[in-house]
Amino acid sequence: MNGLKILFANLYDLLLLLAIWFAAALPFVIWQGSALQDSNAIKLAFQIYMIAITYVYLTYFWIQSGQTPGLKTWKLQLLTEQNTLPNRYYANFRFLWTILLFPIGWVGLLFGKQQLLQDRLAKTQIIAVREN
């Protein structure tokens, strides 16, 4: 059941990220105008900008509390294998593996695995938070 909660928590975060991406893209698109369509360099800069927005969103929450809004809603938390909050090192590795393995890292959830591939590689885990 934890795997399904992880999937829903990440879908929740994706919805929030879509809103953030939309808001973050507006100034860039207005600033660049039609050059965004014409220049490969500007397209690449835009993609890097959007990945950076995603990086800041995810790693901020992972480091601060181990809980993105989606994880918090589903009462889950990201911790290291030593059951501590991830520091910048763990957050960076997890983000890197998430980007490199997307969507492969999520396939295990469909087969009942309780841990994402990127968590295994980054030596992190998503656990259920006990309710008080």
Side-chain angles (χ1 to χ4, degrees):
M1 183 62 177
N2 209 27
L4 197 55
K5 286 175 73 173
I6 293 169
L7 181 64
F8 285 130
N10 283 285
L11 287 173
Y12 184 97
D13 281 324
L14 179 60
L15 288 174
L16 293 174
L17 268 170
L18 286 172
I20 291 168
W21 288 336
F22 180 79
L26 279 175
F28 195 96
V29 171
I30 291 169
W31 174 48
Q32 290 300 316
S34 63
L36 186 59
Q37 296 174 356
D38 301 333
S39 170
N40 287 335
I42 293 175
K43 286 179 189 175
L44 178 61
F46 180 71
Q47 291 170 347
I48 292 169
Y49 170 67
M50 297 308 280
I51 290 171
I53 295 291
T54 307
Y55 169 82
V56 169
Y57 172 85
L58 291 173
T59 60
Y60 171 80
F61 288 111
W62 292 341
I63 292 169
Q64 293 301 314
S65 64
Q67 293 181 299
T68 60
L71 290 174
K72 190 170 191 155
T73 300
W74 287 91
K75 296 178 179 33
L76 299 169
Q77 186 175 30
L78 178 72
L79 298 174
T80 67
E81 289 180 343
Q82 294 80 28
N83 290 324
T84 61
L85 287 176
N87 57 23
R88 179 66 54 198
Y89 174 83
Y90 285 102
N92 287 343
F93 270 109
R94 187 172 195 272
F95 183 79
L96 179 66
W97 284 118
T98 300
I99 294 295
L100 292 175
L101 295 173
F102 184 80
I104 299 166
W106 302 92
V107 172
L109 290 179
L110 302 174
F111 299 107
K113 300 280 186 192
Q114 298 299 309
Q115 190 176 23
L116 301 169
L117 181 56
Q118 54 263 34
D119 284 323
R120 286 188 196 152
L121 295 169
K123 298 186 181 347
T124 57
Q125 59 187 336
I126 296 176
I127 63 162
V129 176
R130 295 186 189 137
E131 294 184 45
N132 293 332

